[in-house]
Amino acid sequence: MRSLKKKNQAQKSSRKFSMSKGRILITTGIYPPKIGGPAQYAKNLREVWGKKGYLVKVKTFHLENYLPTGIRHLFFFFKIIPAVSTSDFILALDTFSVGFPTVLAGKIFGKIVVIRTGGDFLWEGYIERTGKKVLFRNFYIQEKDNLNLKEKLIFKLTRLTLNNASKVVFSTTWQRDIFVSAYALDTKKTGIIENYYGTKEGDFEFNSKTFIASTRNLKWKNLDILKNVFYKKDSIIPKDINLLTTTSEFESFMEKVKNSYAVILVSLGDISPNLILDAIRLNKPFICTKEVGIFDRIKDIGIFVNPLDEKEIEGAVLKLLDALEYKKWQDKVRSFNFVHTWDEMADEYIRLKTSTK
C-alpha cells in the first residue's frame, strides 16, 4: 500500500514536471524571513514564475553565513550543482557571493546564467574596512590602487564572473555605466530591468514626527552623519523629532513607514533603494541621497541631498518640517504614478532568457 502511494506521488510529480514551462533556479544570499532587497526579489519572482507554470527552486545561504570567503563559495558551488544541472535558466542575485559559484556551475553544465546586480560587494566591503567616505560613483576611479590583496582578488573574480555570465542585468543605467567602465563589460551582454514600483496603497496620516531611516548598520549607509544631524549638541532639529534607524520584519516595518512623518536616506551610493520606493508607494515625502541610481525616475518628487554635507541634510529636514513644504512634497509624491510589477519583471527576464539562446 505504501509503495502504491509513493508510486502515485511520483506520477503526480512527473506530470507536474512534464507540464511545466521550464525549470528556473534562483540563487540568493538571503531569503525571507531575512530582510533585504534580494530576499524580497527572490520571493516575489519565485511566486510569479510559479503561477505562470514554471518549476522554480531557490538556493540560499544557511551554513555559508558562518564560513570564510572562499570556503563559503566552494560549499555553495557543490550545494547548487544538482539544481543547476536540471535547470533551464538560472538567476543569480548578486555579483560575487552567489554570483561567482553560480556562473562557475552554469559554465560547467552549459546553462544560461543571468546575474542581477544589486549593490557592489567590493565597494561596500572596502568602505567597511577603511571607513573612508568614498562615493560609489568615484570608487573605481579613486580607490582601485588602494585595494588590499583580498579586495584585488575579489575584483578579479567579479570581473571574471560578470564577463562569463550569459547576461548581466542592472536596475539602472547609472550602475551599468559604472560597471561597464570598471569591469570592461560588453554592453551587448547587459540589460536593464527596473526595480519593483508598486501601485499606490493610499494616504496614511503620521502619528508622530518620525523620520524613517531604517537600514543595515553599515558605514556606506552613512548613519553616523545622519545621527549627528539629529542628535549633536548644537542641532537645530527640534527635540520632539524622532529618527528611526533600526530594522524589523517586513510587514512590521511597513506599518512603521505608514505611521511615519517621512523617509530619509543619505547613503554614499544606492542603486534602487527599496526604502524610497516603499515611501513612494505609501505617499510619504522623502529626503534622498543625490548618489542614487533612480534619480532620473524620481527627481521631481523628492528632496535630494549631498550625503557628505551635514548642513544640507539638516536644511532638508527643516524644510520638510514646515507644514506648507510638507504638503507640497507630499502632493508631488502622490502625483507619481509609474508602476512596474513583479509580473512584468518576470516576463522581462523570460524575454531576456529567450534572446540569450
Side-chain angles (χ1 to χ4, degrees):
M1 191 73 180
R2 186 176 295 176
S3 62
L4 181 61
K5 185 178 180 180
K6 286 184 177 180
K7 183 178 180 180
N8 289 336
Q9 288 176 339
Q11 288 175 341
K12 288 180 181 178
S13 178
S14 177
R15 283 197 298 271
K16 182 180 178 182
F17 182 84
S18 62
M19 292 171 63
S20 75
K21 290 183 175 180
R23 295 152 293 179
I24 298 175
L25 171 65
I26 301 172
T27 59
T28 174
I30 56 174
Y31 192 76
K34 291 185 177 180
I35 299 169
Q40 289 299 314
Y41 208 93
K43 173 182 176 291
N44 284 288
L45 283 182
R46 180 184 198 175
E47 290 176 355
V48 171
W49 276 327
K51 290 175 182 177
K52 289 178 178 289
Y54 295 91
L55 290 177
V56 187
K57 288 183 179 180
V58 174
K59 292 295 182 181
T60 188
F61 282 1
H62 294 293
L63 178 60
E64 291 88 345
N65 291 312
Y66 307 99
L67 299 175
T69 301
I71 303 299
R72 177 173 70 242
H73 290 81
L74 189 63
F75 186 91
F76 191 71
F77 168 76
F78 283 111
K79 185 170 85 172
I80 65 175
I81 279 179
V84 168
S85 66
T86 58
S87 296
D88 302 311
F89 172 62
I90 304 163
L91 176 63
L93 294 183
D94 71 36
T95 59
F96 183 68
S97 293
V98 300
F100 174 53
T102 302
V103 167
L104 181 58
K107 276 288 183 182
I108 291 172
F109 290 96
K111 302 295 182 176
I112 296 173
V113 179
V114 172
I115 289 181
R116 189 266 182 180
T117 63
D120 186 337
F121 180 83
L122 179 58
W123 169 69
E124 292 175 15
Y126 181 82
I127 300 300
E128 204 65 23
R129 177 179 70 84
T130 65
K132 289 184 179 181
K133 297 281 187 176
V134 183
L135 300 179
F136 173 53
R137 62 182 167 87
N138 294 333
F139 172 61
Y140 291 99
I141 300 169
Q142 296 178 354
E143 302 297 325
K144 194 173 175 183
D145 292 337
N146 298 325
L147 302 180
N148 64 21
L149 186 60
K150 178 183 176 181
E151 289 158 352
K152 287 178 181 177
L153 179 61
I154 290 172
F155 174 79
K156 290 179 180 179
L157 290 176
T158 300
R159 182 172 59 190
L160 180 70
T161 299
L162 293 172
N163 280 284
N164 280 278
S166 307
K167 286 276 188 179
V168 181
V169 168
F170 300 89
S171 60
T172 69
T173 55
W174 184 67
Q175 188 189 20
R176 179 169 69 174
D177 290 346
I178 293 171
F179 267 48
V180 164
S181 175
Y183 291 102
L185 300 181
D186 180 358
T187 54
K188 294 178 182 177
K189 290 183 65 177
T190 68
I192 302 291
I193 294 180
E194 288 196 68
N195 212 337
Y196 171 73
Y197 290 76
T199 55
K200 294 298 183 72
E201 296 186 16
D203 287 333
F204 302 91
E205 294 295 324
F206 61 88
N207 59 14
S208 68
K209 287 198 173 179
T210 299
F211 282 76
I212 300 285
S214 301
T215 187
R216 292 171 292 164
N217 189 25
L218 298 172
K219 292 176 183 176
W220 66 274
K221 290 294 188 178
N222 214 24
L223 288 177
D224 57 334
I225 283 184
L226 188 57
K227 288 177 180 178
N228 199 43
V229 167
F230 276 79
Y231 301 131
K232 63 185 176 182
K233 287 185 179 180
D234 58 346
S235 174
I236 56 177
I237 305 296
K239 299 302 180 185
D240 63 333
I241 305 303
N242 303 311
L243 178 69
L244 180 67
T245 60
T246 56
T247 59
S248 59
E249 186 268 337
F250 182 72
E251 282 74 19
S252 172
F253 174 68
M254 291 304 291
E255 285 301 313
K256 291 176 181 177
V257 177
K258 287 177 183 178
N259 295 323
S260 72
Y261 184 76
V263 162
I264 183 166
L265 177 81
V266 295
S267 51
L268 302 177
D270 243 305
I271 315 304
S272 301
N274 287 303
L275 180 61
I276 297 300
L277 299 181
D278 290 338
I280 293 171
R281 198 163 66 254
L282 299 173
N283 286 326
K284 290 290 178 179
F286 63 87
I287 298 168
C288 183
T289 175
K290 290 176 180 175
E291 305 297 322
V292 66
I294 57 174
F295 179 77
D296 287 341
R297 175 65 74 185
I298 63 172
K299 61 185 177 182
D300 298 323
I301 63 169
I303 301 173
F304 294 87
V305 294
N306 176 351
L308 300 177
D309 190 332
E310 286 190 24
K311 280 293 183 184
E312 192 171 321
I313 297 169
E314 185 178 66
V317 173
L318 291 173
K319 175 186 284 189
L320 210 48
L321 289 174
D322 178 85
L324 291 177
E325 286 288 334
Y326 185 84
K327 184 180 185 306
K328 180 180 83 172
W329 290 104
Q330 188 173 47
D331 287 343
K332 286 178 179 289
V333 174
R334 283 174 178 149
S335 70
F336 185 85
N337 55 17
F338 175 72
V339 173
H340 190 226
T341 67
W342 291 110
D343 194 88
E344 290 172 324
M345 294 161 67
D347 287 344
E348 287 169 39
Y349 274 109
I350 296 304
R351 287 196 293 271
L352 193 71
K353 166 188 173 291
T354 304
S355 67
T356 306
K357 286 183 177 180

